Amino acid sequence: MQKKYQRPSWDEYFLDVAKLVSKRSTCLRRKVGAVAVRDKRILATGYNGAPSGLAHCLDIGCLREKLKIPSGQRQELCRGLHAEQNIIIQAVIHKVDLKDSALYVTNQPCVTCAKMLIGVGVKDIVIMEGYPDVLARKLLKEARIKIRIIKK
């Protein structure tokens, strides 16, 4: 008898897509991928890396490494955009509304991205791993945005 194929749940499926998207990351420290979804349809994807047209850290090195800046601190001293920021940029460029969407991301958003996601109306965030940003979690909770962790 043939074994029955187990289809992934929608959460697993979209997290797998986010994980695949993260492979495009040009960050030397952390590969992050994100997928914005509404009604089980992908609206936009994003990964962390330098803005279009600028040199990538893969090519010129990491400023944060050179300055020995710990993870989660002084994010403004990075030439890269976060995956969540790139999703918002892609949505704007392609005229896609992110209101009431869900975000699937390999890591918890930082406080800057959390504020941006609140602003564009994301309603649900599904992550694979945490991130050392307590304020981001507090703001997302205050905005009534659910964060679910699904280990992959």
Side-chain angles (χ1 to χ4, degrees), residues 2-51:
Q2 215 175 30
K3 284 187 177 182
K4 187 175 178 181
Y5 173 70
Q6 278 287 19
R7 292 175 70 192
S9 70
W10 285 109
D11 285 342
E12 292 168 328
Y13 171 73
F14 290 123
L15 281 174
D16 283 346
V17 173
K19 198 170 179 182
L20 180 62
V21 170
S22 76
K23 292 182 178 186
R24 291 283 305 158
S25 169
T26 59
C27 179
L28 296 170
R29 287 182 144 195
R30 183 189 312 256
K31 307 266 184 233
V32 180
V35 181
V37 174
R38 187 174 45 247
D39 299 326
K40 298 179 182 146
R41 301 291 179 257
I42 295 173
L43 303 173
T45 64
Y47 54 86
N48 56 329

Side-chain angles (χ1 to χ4, degrees), residues 3 19 76-77 98 107:
K3 284 187 177 182
K19 198 170 179 182
E76 74 280 7
L77 294 177
L98 295 176
N107 297 84

Side-chain angles (χ1 to χ4, degrees), residues 28-74:
L28 296 170
R29 287 182 144 195
R30 183 189 312 256
K31 307 266 184 233
V32 180
V35 181
V37 174
R38 187 174 45 247
D39 299 326
K40 298 179 182 146
R41 301 291 179 257
I42 295 173
L43 303 173
T45 64
Y47 54 86
N48 56 329
S52 295
L54 298 186
H56 294 286
C57 298
L58 283 175
D59 302 321
I60 63 170
C62 175
L63 176 62
R64 293 172 56 79
E65 284 293 318
K66 289 175 189 165
L67 298 174
K68 299 182 181 356
I69 298 170
S71 180
Q73 297 179 18
R74 303 293 316 269

Side-chain angles (χ1 to χ4, degrees), residues 94-105:
H94 298 287
K95 298 174 178 51
V96 174
D97 185 3
L98 295 176
K99 187 168 177 23
D100 296 327
S101 66
L103 184 75
Y104 290 83
V105 63

